[in-house]
Amino acid sequence: QVQFVESGGGLVQPGGSLRLSCTASRSIFRTYAMAWYRQAPGKQREWVASISSGGRTDYANSVKGRFAISRDNAKMYLQMSSLKPEDTAVYYCNRASVTMAWGQGTQVTVSS
């Protein structure tokens, strides 16, 4: 089983930027398609972005043009720009298709 640890969240004003990072207990980022997900208060967890083992990226319409997913051998990242209050959520990383155990996530709060 793989353990994920997300970091980089925080409080940011609307229009601001954050960079989230994800580490795993073993090196899987280039083996599997990976993804970022988020869960806002009172809502179900939703898919945000994914990156295939070949490097192809896909984004939810709500974040397209504002977020960028990337990865190297050791970590996966989510660069978030032009943040909006509706981006407020706990963000998680995991495999893109068959998810593994979820980490604790990292809280992102967008508020003035």
Side-chain angles (χ1 to χ4, degrees):
Q1 191 61 281
V2 177
Q3 294 179 319
F4 296 106
V5 178
E6 302 88 352
S7 62
L11 173 63
V12 62
Q13 292 187 342
S17 299
L18 281 174
R19 189 192 196 203
L20 306 184
S21 297
C22 169
T23 59
S25 54
R26 60 181 175 91
S27 179
I28 65 169
F29 294 117
R30 292 192 184 273
T31 302
Y32 300 108
M34 300 296 299
W36 284 95
Y37 303 82
R38 67 186 181 186
Q39 186 167 20
K43 295 187 177 181
Q44 289 189 331
R45 186 178 286 144
E46 64 175 0
W47 167 76
V48 174
S50 58
I51 184 166
S52 72
S53 56
R56 174 184 169 179
T57 57
D58 289 293
Y59 299 92
N61 288 334
S62 59
V63 307
K64 198 170 295 184
R66 301 188 297 121
F67 289 12
I69 187 172
S70 61
R71 51 111 168 93
D72 56 31
N73 287 338
K75 290 187 177 182
M76 185 170 67
Y77 306 95
L78 186 68
Q79 178 67 49
M80 306 186 296
S81 304
S82 301
L83 283 161
K84 305 175 181 180
E86 50 263 43
D87 295 318
T88 295
V90 179
Y91 285 71
Y92 302 87
C93 60
N94 211 310
R95 286 181 60 180
S97 53
V98 181
T99 58
M100 297 178 173
W102 296 94
Q104 294 297 309
T106 186
Q107 174 71 48
V108 172
T109 303
V110 185
S111 175
S112 55

